[in-house]
Amino acid sequence: MTSLAETFARLADEGRPALVGYLPAGFPDVATSIRAIEAMVECGVDIVEVGFPYSDPVMDGPVIQVAAQQALAGGVRTSDVFEVVRASAATGAATVVMTYWNPVEHYGVDRFAETLADVGGTGLITPDLIPEEAGAWTDAAAKHGLEQVFLVAPSSTDERLALTAKAASGFVYATSVMGVTGARAQTSSRAPELVGRLRGVTDKPIGVGLGVSNGDQAAEVGAYCDAVIVGSALVRCLLDVPADDGIAAVRALATDLRTGVERARTTAG
């Protein structure tokens, strides 16, 4: 298992931010989702976010909603999510699960943490779990050596940023815009300010997500953060196309995004 700490330390030596790629487990089917993740890593993704398909994804935009619905209609189960995590971790990339809290609670918090650690996962991103209500997960994560990644938004107060950053481990997930996930024509003008405010309260790595869809945007965002998180644009590659075409599109986009994060510090000047 590769940890987030090892990954960020290596990338600090390389002088570039991490490229984080998100794909839902079981979309468009379990086998293809594993192939797509392997392709992402081969083409330069450093950290993999395995999405847990969920029927009420309040933070996810239309692209990820469609993907999750397709995975659920295909019968994806929690055991499939863990198998995808196992395959992702086998690539050597640090692998985290992004999930709403209800599936974890339903499965059993300690049982979920134990299984995630057993299959090589490094932690959990929980968009609807706030630190004040995360006691059960904090205990289970500590017991099984997992990271807990919490989210902040441009609307978060300074007190909220400090509290969330203190509770988080691995990295702090900064959502660059208000609203749901989805590729956007322009990156957020509020994200640099949010990252700057976070730098004032924590020295933990900061990942910026929501809206990045190409290498130029990855270079722009990666100039001021520690990790560039890409989800919807990668998921879109697999929508409504034959599997081989989708995998090829994932490869092309991951390659473009990787060139973006590699020139991010140059972009920063």
Side-chain angles (χ1 to χ4, degrees), residues 5-68:
E6 291 170 338
T7 301
F8 282 111
R10 172 175 59 81
L11 297 178
D13 289 341
E14 294 179 13
R16 67 173 176 87
L19 174 60
V20 184
Y22 167 97
L23 284 175
F27 167 73
D29 55 65
V30 173
T32 304
S33 68
I34 290 173
R35 287 179 59 202
I37 287 171
E38 291 171 342
M40 284 198 317
V41 175
E42 289 171 7
C43 293
V45 164
D46 303 294
I47 298 170
V48 175
E49 270 187 49
V50 175
F52 195 125
Y54 187 56
S55 58
D56 187 23
V58 294
M59 179 182 159
D60 295 322
V63 171
I64 293 178
Q65 286 186 26
V66 169

Side-chain angles (χ1 to χ4, degrees), residues 83-139:
E83 283 308 305
V84 173
V85 171
R86 187 192 301 276
S88 177
T91 67
T95 301
V96 296
V97 169
M98 186 163 188
T99 179
Y100 296 91
W101 183 240
N102 188 51
V104 179
E105 202 165 38
H106 181 74
Y107 190 79
V109 178
D110 189 75
R111 182 185 175 210
F112 192 101
E114 181 180 21
T115 308
L116 179 57
D118 284 347
V119 298
T122 64
L124 208 62
I125 300 172
T126 50
D128 62 344
L129 182 67
I130 59 176
E132 296 95 321
E133 298 176 356
W137 175 247
T138 298
D139 292 345

Side-chain angles (χ1 to χ4, degrees), residues 17 74 234:
L234 287 163

Side-chain angles (χ1 to χ4, degrees), residues 71-92:
L72 291 169
V76 69
R77 297 179 178 276
T78 304
S79 59
D80 296 316
V81 176
F82 288 129
E83 283 308 305
V84 173
V85 171
R86 187 192 301 276
S88 177
T91 67

